[in-house]
Amino acid sequence: MASVIIVGTQWGDEGKGKIVDYLAENCEYVVRSQGGSNAGHTVVVDNIKYKLRLLPSGILHKDKVCVIGNGVVIEPKVFLSEIDSLIEKKVNISNLKISDRAHVIMPYHKILDELQEEDLGENKLGTTKNGIGPCYMDKSSRLGIRIVDLMNKETFAKKLKFNVELKNKLLKKLYNHEGVNYDELLKEYLGYADRLRPFVADTTTILNKAIKEKKNILFEGAQATMLDLDHGTYPFVTSSYPAAGGACTGSGVGPRKIDNVIGVVKAYATRVGEGPFPSELFDDVGQFIRDKGGEYGTVTGRPRRCGWLDACVVKYASYVNGLDSIAITRLDILDELDKLKICVAYKYNGEILEGYPADLDILSKVEPVYEEFEGWKTSTRDIREYDKLPENAKKYLKRLSEVIETDISIVSVGAGRDETIIVKKIF
């Protein structure tokens, strides 16, 4: 039995979905514990590409119990559209469970998300405008509507009426917006409630019972450490806690019941939206990585900012998450490069920094200290054993492991399930 947390170590888009999908083969349960439909995971199975936003990547295995935990914020329309799409592709969804404690994204959350972002002007955060932040704001303000409320017509009607009146005051007086219609929302969301009802459960009890029964459980993180509300490059972060600790609070499973934490590391660096990015590339190499890697947002389609692998970021993530090992993804994207670099330290005012700076003004001015590596100039796509990787690829990976003081357990050399090298057995 093992309970394993998968977390992103950079700014998201590291390929967590692929790693979760691969490891799910040996698990009985796969759990999504935070975030919302702003998190896109792309998984390729039998040459079919699946773009998942809310559902755990384990859903592509027909015999797994897939749980959407209490820490997730759910937009019913997106959820139902996603399961309808999977049903069309003959994917089994009968083992899908939604926490009755998860919060519901409402249309006024999306409206406020867009208006607030516009209002920020040049200080915009780069939000996906899916209503995630405003929904978490309501949750923290204790005004939110939970799935359990949606399941009770009278409770939902009462809470919705209060929220609509409150949000309409804000929308009309501050943003000169016409607001939302209570009756229309009530009818729409009660319709969603009927379709959601078969999936709703006390997932905290389900998961803790599974642990007692010695089942293998995989906790699937959305976003990544550098987007964590506390530990990321604040304020250019998400509104939840993608770090390993968030998997516990977002699922109702205590930290002493976690056996292993794996950090997913893309073999280069990307980020979406605003915020400092010390190793960002603005040249032809950056564009090559973007095009070769298809680095465009799963949800938004926005081009991702690309750069060299930043070991300072990954080392910080190793501290924050207590990583046992790392899974390297997208190594194959670098196959054609003549030279590669890893940022191994930051220099500021002529001095090497200790730790990762919280001050974004400092972070935006640091000078990356790079180590350069010779490229391997050969395809890694068909390699399935670590020792058979090109020597220069092994040198690149070994140096990363040394700098971040964390072992490598998995190397991914393609999007397919089989394009995976297991260095250290997980389950």
Side-chain angles (χ1 to χ4, degrees):
M1 182 276 289
S3 295
V4 177
I5 296 175
I6 303 296
V7 295
T9 60
Q10 295 149 299
W11 286 278
D13 309 311
E14 297 95 346
K16 297 180 295 296
K18 149 69 187 277
I19 300 301
V20 170
D21 174 71
Y22 182 87
L23 293 177
E25 183 72 40
N26 297 305
C27 296
E28 287 85 12
Y29 291 76
V30 181
V31 186
R32 169 83 182 272
S33 55
Q34 50 75 219
S37 55
N38 59 337
H41 287 165
T42 301
V43 181
V44 179
V45 181
D46 296 330
N47 294 317
I48 300 174
K49 184 178 289 187
Y50 298 87
K51 293 189 176 183
L52 305 175
R53 296 177 63 178
L54 274 169
L55 301 184
S57 300
I59 197 70
L60 301 179
H61 295 265
K62 64 180 180 179
D63 58 341
K64 313 303 177 185
V65 178
C66 289
V67 173
I68 297 178
N70 55 274
V72 179
V73 289
I74 297 171
E75 184 180 355
K77 186 176 181 179
V78 171
F79 172 84
L80 293 170
S81 173
E82 199 167 326
I83 64 170
D84 286 342
S85 174
L86 292 179
I87 290 171
E88 287 180 7
K89 294 177 179 177
K90 310 300 182 183
V91 175
N92 175 40
I93 60 165
S94 61
N95 289 330
L96 180 60
K97 309 291 182 185
I98 301 174
S99 171
D100 50 8
R101 290 177 168 85
H103 279 243
V104 181
I105 295 176
M106 303 297 297
Y108 49 75
H109 290 134
K110 298 182 74 171
I111 295 169
L112 283 168
D113 202 358
E114 185 170 354
L115 293 172
Q116 289 168 357
E117 183 76 347
E118 290 175 2
D119 215 27
L120 288 172
E122 62 180 23
N123 296 311
K124 65 180 180 178
L125 301 174
T127 171
T128 58
K129 302 177 184 178
N130 281 293
I132 312 299
C135 185
Y136 277 115
M137 287 170 65
D138 275 3
K139 179 178 180 177
S140 297
S141 300
R142 290 154 291 181
L143 300 172
I145 296 174
R146 300 180 299 166
I147 290 291
V148 69
D149 303 322
L150 184 59
M151 295 300 104
N152 184 313
K153 182 177 180 180
E154 290 73 24
T155 300
F156 176 66
K158 183 179 178 181
K159 289 196 170 189
L160 179 64
K161 190 171 185 61
F162 174 80
N163 271 281
V164 166
E165 290 175 355
L166 191 66
K167 297 301 187 294
N168 278 346
K169 286 180 184 178
L170 179 61
L171 288 169
K172 291 175 181 179
K173 292 184 179 181
L174 182 61
Y175 294 108
N176 196 31
H177 188 280
E178 63 182 3
V180 295
N181 184 284
Y182 167 77
D183 292 321
E184 290 178 359
L185 288 186
L186 180 64
K187 180 180 179 181
E188 178 185 357
Y189 273 71
L190 288 177
Y192 294 149
D194 289 338
R195 290 199 62 196
L196 290 172
R197 202 175 304 278
F199 303 105
V200 177
D202 176 2
T203 56
T204 297
T205 298
I206 289 172
L207 291 173
N208 280 278
K209 183 180 178 182
I211 290 171
K212 284 186 177 180
E213 294 172 351
K214 301 189 182 304
K215 305 294 186 183
N216 286 338
I217 302 177
L218 198 59
F219 295 84
E220 172 181 356
Q223 288 96 27
T225 305
M226 301 315 295
L227 295 176
D228 187 272
L229 188 58
D230 276 350
H231 299 289
T233 47
Y234 188 91
F236 302 104
V237 293
T238 192
S239 303
S240 60
Y241 300 97
C248 295
T249 55
S251 65
V253 172
R256 293 181 64 186
K257 296 179 180 179
I258 303 300
D259 302 296
N260 200 342
V261 182
I262 300 173
V264 183
V265 183
K266 188 180 286 186
Y268 47 93
T270 64
R271 78 172 296 177
V272 173
E274 309 299 321
F277 185 1
S279 66
E280 185 170 9
L281 289 167
F282 301 96
D283 57 11
D284 291 343
V285 175
Q287 188 60 48
F288 169 83
I289 292 173
R290 183 178 298 111
D291 293 338
K292 180 79 182 297
E295 293 296 349
Y296 298 88
T298 302
V299 175
T300 64
R302 290 184 295 181
R304 295 172 184 145
R305 299 158 64 190
C306 297
W308 294 122
L309 180 54
D310 189 337
C312 299
V313 166
V314 182
K315 185 175 183 178
Y316 173 70
S318 185
Y319 289 159
V320 168
N321 295 293
L323 297 183
D324 292 291
S325 66
I326 57 172
I328 305 291
T329 62
R330 316 223 78 190
L331 185 70
D332 54 298
I333 303 303
L334 306 179
D335 286 349
E336 299 174 35
L337 294 179
D338 294 318
K339 304 278 187 180
L340 301 95
K341 294 181 181 180
I342 295 177
C343 172
V344 298
Y346 294 152
K347 186 180 290 186
Y348 180 70
N349 286 341
E351 296 184 1
I352 298 296
L353 294 181
E354 180 76 22
Y356 193 87
D359 189 329
L360 297 198
D361 184 59
I362 293 176
L363 190 59
S364 65
K365 296 174 182 176
V366 297
E367 177 187 346
V369 178
Y370 288 114
E371 289 185 9
E372 188 171 86
F373 300 81
E374 295 292 328
W376 42 93
K377 302 290 288 181
T378 186
S379 176
T380 57
R381 292 290 295 272
D382 296 325
I383 297 173
R384 300 294 178 265
E385 296 177 30
Y386 186 83
D387 288 342
K388 292 183 179 179
L389 283 171
E391 285 303 314
N392 285 345
K394 287 190 285 187
K395 288 178 183 178
Y396 182 77
L397 297 175
K398 181 183 178 182
R399 183 56 181 146
L400 170 65
S401 178
E402 289 172 348
V403 175
I404 66 174
E405 303 168 5
T406 308
D407 293 336
I408 296 171
S409 56
I410 298 171
V411 179
S412 173
V413 291
R417 277 182 187 165
D418 64 319
E419 295 174 316
T420 308
I421 300 169
I422 298 300
V423 184
K424 179 181 177 183
K425 190 174 175 61
I426 306 300
F427 291 105

